[in-house]
Amino acid sequence: MKSWFRVKKGEEKGYRIIMHPDLIKDCELSVNMKVTVRFGLQTCDVKIIPSKKINIGKMIMTRDIIDALMLPLIPAYEIVYKDDEIQIGPIIGIVAARTTGKLDEKVQKLGRYVRKYHKVNGAIIAFSNEGIDFDKRLIFGYLYDPIEKKWIKGIYPFPTAIFKRASLKKELHQQFERIIGNRIFNSSTFTKWEMYSWFKQASGLNAYLPVTRIFKHVHDVENMLERFGGAYIKPIKGMQGKGVAKIEQKEGGLLVQHIAEDSKNDYFFQDLYEAEEFLKDNFGEEKFILQQPLQLQFQESIIDFRVIMIKDRNGEWKNFGIMGRNGVKGHIVSNRHRGGKVEQAARTLEKMFPDKKKEYLKEMEQLAKMAAKTIENCGFLFGKLGIDIGIDSEGRMWLIEINHRNPNDYVATFAGDKSLVNKIRHENICYAKTLGGF
């Protein structure tokens, strides 16, 4: 059974915890029993002392216990008695920045994660890659103070579950896993080609995949032109539509539309031989994929859909919303960063396929769940995914991409749902709490 409480420091020495008899009973403990108490990675043996003079929502620990456990007194905690231990927590870490300098700025943007702190409790600690001391198992960072509603800079014990809000270097990630186990999400990264290779082996997903190839040689482009009359060229590790190009056969030659950092440029070549040097210069070294072009245009705009998949506190994937993304007319991508507009998927489908709106919404949710579970079966631990799906002019559904590197929570805000960001971020913290054993 769980219960929340606050810790007060006693002036006595030794290893005694004073609790109200009712709290002792609720936690399934016994009066005057000796037991091991755990806070994250730290443990010590203590004696439980009952006292009706203490509030049931408080616990008095001696200075020796607090020092041994490295227990911050600011948070409210929960207690679980299992495996013959009193476990106090949770201790949740948020990787908020790569550097200590950036952490000061980034920590101020974490308010939505702790807005419902009373439903989470525990020590919530934001830190950076630079603030980790593996030798002492301490981190320099910020602890959330739920009373003053601010972040307190300090040195704190290691968390038992970590949410990667920013990237965590591979070697640091591996070291943490050796210490706390598989309790880090969003756990890692993968490329578009890796995703395609895994999904190609999944019988339920294979039918939704556009033909995809690694761009190794101009002959690969020639093959796609012969089969489909065109191809999309995408960076294997690209995001937000950067570096994407579309090549298509036109009367009299080849049209290449290329999205650079800040602009879209059109190039026309008489044939593939003339385009070869341009393609090698811009898309070489096997860092790009070629993908079958899909007919996703509606009223001259590229339209696709983003399914927001979130792991709930029970570790189950849930659909938190489906958004329709309408690209700028004439553009080759739908991304909002490229000027696209976002709206609720039901509204988008009402314009495109009004008679099949409910059917498509259901199929997209099923496809997104299948994709999320498949990724996890490949050994990854995620708590949030943005799954991009397209429906072509003939009504066929396609799985386009999975945004797994901290997908934008605000996509629903752009569609008018301002409350969804808070719900997503609260669920992220609740899932971290579950991973940490509470």
Side-chain angles (χ1 to χ4, degrees):
M1 181 175 179
K2 298 180 181 179
S3 183
W4 72 271
F5 62 92
R6 293 189 181 276
V7 175
K8 291 185 65 179
K9 182 186 290 186
E11 295 303 320
E12 299 178 358
K13 292 185 178 182
Y15 292 86
R16 291 180 295 278
I17 297 179
I18 302 173
M19 303 168 64
H20 192 282
D22 290 345
L23 181 58
I24 293 174
K25 183 179 178 181
D26 286 346
C27 296
E28 301 177 359
L29 303 172
S30 300
V31 172
N32 293 321
M33 73 181 295
K34 289 185 178 180
V35 67
T36 298
V37 62
R38 173 180 293 277
F39 180 64
L41 305 177
Q42 290 70 237
T43 64
C44 64
D45 294 330
V46 304
K47 186 176 182 180
I48 304 298
I49 307 296
S51 174
K52 291 186 178 181
K53 294 181 180 180
I54 185 173
N55 188 295
I56 194 170
K58 291 184 179 178
M59 179 186 295
I60 297 177
M61 292 185 183
T62 61
R63 184 190 307 270
D64 290 332
I65 297 174
I66 291 171
D67 290 345
L69 298 179
M70 297 188 289
L71 183 81
L73 300 182
I74 292 173
Y77 290 107
E78 294 184 6
I79 185 171
V80 178
Y81 182 60
K82 62 181 180 182
D83 300 329
D84 297 322
E85 291 183 338
I86 296 175
Q87 298 185 16
I88 298 172
I91 317 175
I92 299 169
I94 302 176
V95 184
R98 288 185 66 90
T99 66
T100 302
K102 280 287 185 181
L103 181 61
D104 296 342
E105 170 194 342
K106 296 292 185 180
V107 75
Q108 305 305 324
K109 299 179 181 180
L110 301 178
R112 293 176 186 268
Y113 291 101
V114 293
R115 187 165 289 187
K116 293 184 178 179
Y117 175 86
H118 63 285
K119 293 187 176 182
V120 182
N121 298 312
I124 301 177
I125 305 165
F127 64 100
S128 72
N129 284 239
E130 292 181 347
I132 307 166
D133 186 334
F134 282 102
D135 293 332
K136 297 180 180 179
R137 295 191 175 183
L138 294 172
I139 53 176
F140 167 80
Y142 287 84
L143 173 74
Y144 182 67
D145 181 341
I147 298 175
E148 299 295 330
K149 299 188 184 304
K150 62 181 181 180
W151 296 86
I152 308 298
K153 185 183 292 187
I155 297 174
Y156 303 103
F158 268 17
T160 52
I162 296 175
F163 169 40
K164 287 168 61 174
R165 182 68 178 77
S167 61
L168 183 65
K169 290 181 180 178
K170 186 176 181 179
E171 60 270 23
L172 301 180
H173 183 116
Q174 291 173 340
Q175 282 184 274
F176 265 127
E177 279 199 334
R178 284 194 287 269
I179 295 170
I180 68 172
N182 188 25
R183 294 179 174 182
I184 307 172
F185 78 101
N186 283 350
S187 70
S188 192
T189 62
F190 53 86
T191 69
K192 293 180 177 70
W193 178 248
E194 288 173 322
M195 186 202 81
Y196 176 80
S197 301
W198 298 327
F199 287 177
K200 191 71 176 173
Q201 304 301 316
S203 58
L205 295 174
N206 187 32
Y208 291 98
L209 299 176
V211 174
T212 303
R213 299 284 183 268
I214 290 282
F215 187 177
K216 296 181 180 179
H217 193 274
V218 71
H219 293 316
D220 299 316
V221 180
E222 183 177 26
N223 180 264
M224 296 293 275
L225 289 172
E226 288 175 353
R227 291 185 65 183
F228 305 110
Y232 269 87
I233 308 173
K234 299 180 178 181
I236 286 180
K237 297 182 179 180
M239 295 174 63
Q240 301 175 351
K242 295 177 182 178
V244 173
K246 183 180 181 182
I247 181 169
E248 55 185 329
Q249 195 83 50
K250 294 287 187 180
E251 185 175 348
L254 293 174
L255 174 64
V256 179
Q257 297 172 280
H258 183 212
I259 299 178
E261 282 293 324
D262 302 312
S263 62
K264 181 179 81 70
N265 302 303
D266 293 350
Y267 304 90
F268 195 83
F269 303 94
Q270 290 186 351
D271 52 33
L272 193 56
Y273 177 78
E274 186 179 299
E276 183 173 0
E277 185 176 349
F278 173 83
L279 294 174
K280 285 182 178 179
D281 289 344
N282 289 278
F283 310 109
E285 300 180 2
E286 298 185 18
K287 293 182 179 180
F288 292 81
I289 58 170
L290 292 168
Q291 199 164 72
Q292 170 189 350
L294 305 175
Q295 302 304 314
L296 304 181
Q297 291 90 351
F298 179 77
Q299 295 180 351
E300 300 181 45
S301 295
I302 295 289
I303 292 181
D304 62 20
F305 300 87
R306 164 66 60 86
V307 185
I308 304 169
M309 296 299 294
I310 304 296
K311 191 80 71 66
D312 68 13
R313 63 201 68 195
N314 298 315
E316 298 293 329
W317 284 110
K318 301 293 183 184
N319 166 24
F320 267 54
I322 306 178
M323 306 298 145
R325 305 191 303 179
N326 300 253
V328 174
K329 287 186 178 182
H331 270 233
I332 61 174
V333 295
S334 64
N335 303 68
R336 191 188 65 83
H337 296 84
R338 302 295 163 183
K341 303 297 181 183
V342 181
E343 63 185 0
Q344 295 291 332
R347 175 180 288 186
T348 308
L349 289 169
E350 188 68 44
K351 295 181 290 188
M352 298 176 67
F353 305 100
D355 297 335
K356 291 188 173 183
K357 179 176 67 175
K358 291 183 179 180
E359 177 184 330
Y360 279 137
L361 287 172
K362 183 178 180 180
E363 187 177 356
M364 279 192 277
E365 179 174 342
Q366 291 173 339
L367 176 57
K369 283 186 178 180
M370 195 187 315
K373 290 179 179 178
T374 300
I375 286 295
E376 286 210 310
N377 289 339
C378 294
F380 296 96
L381 182 62
F382 289 104
K384 59 196 298 187
L385 294 169
I387 299 181
D388 295 342
I389 294 171
I391 304 175
D392 67 22
S393 56
E394 296 182 358
R396 180 175 174 180
M397 191 169 292
W398 299 90
L399 179 57
I400 300 172
E401 194 170 337
I402 293 186
N403 189 327
H404 61 288
R405 288 184 284 181
N406 198 34
N408 190 350
D409 296 335
Y410 286 94
V411 64
T413 302
F414 305 131
D417 189 346
K418 296 182 179 180
S419 66
L420 189 55
V421 175
N422 294 332
K423 293 176 183 176
I424 290 171
R425 298 193 170 183
H426 175 62
E427 208 65 34
N428 292 157
I429 290 296
C430 287
Y431 177 53
K433 177 181 179 179
T434 299
L435 278 182
F438 283 81

